[in-house]
């Protein structure tokens, strides 16, 4: 039997809800211990100036193995 790592990160995929990701974690044998949100930006060149525009966010859950 393969031993699961104690901690693992799960990124919410495109088209996946938060609940879907949490269910995927549970199926793999992990429970949430931390949630991280990172902003996503797009670089824009306007009038010779470089600016950044927010286009969304990336949600990552850190999971800890559920010990049976």
């Amino acid at each position: 039997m393969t031993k699961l790592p104690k901690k693992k990160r799960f990124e919410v995929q495109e088209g996946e809800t938060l609940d879907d990701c949490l269910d995927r974690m549970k199926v793999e044998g992990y429970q949430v211990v931390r949630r991280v949100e990172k902003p996503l930006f797009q670089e824009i060149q306007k009038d010779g100036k470089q600016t950044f525009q927010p286009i969304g966010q990336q949600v990552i859950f850190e999971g800890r193995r559920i010990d049976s």
Side-chain angles (χ1 to χ4, degrees), residues 48-63:
K49 294 181 181 179
Q50 179 183 20
T51 61
F52 296 93
Q53 178 179 2
I55 58 170
Q57 69 180 10
Q58 177 185 30
V59 179
I60 301 170
F61 291 108
E62 185 175 297

Side-chain angles (χ1 to χ4, degrees), residues 9-33:
R9 289 183 171 203
F10 293 84
E11 181 180 335
V12 177
Q13 303 296 317
E14 189 174 326
E16 182 179 44
T17 66
L18 295 176
D19 285 334
D20 291 340
C21 185
L22 294 172
D23 290 340
R24 182 166 43 98
M25 288 179 70
K26 187 179 277 189
V27 167
E28 290 188 33
Y30 291 87
Q31 67 181 15
V32 176
V33 292

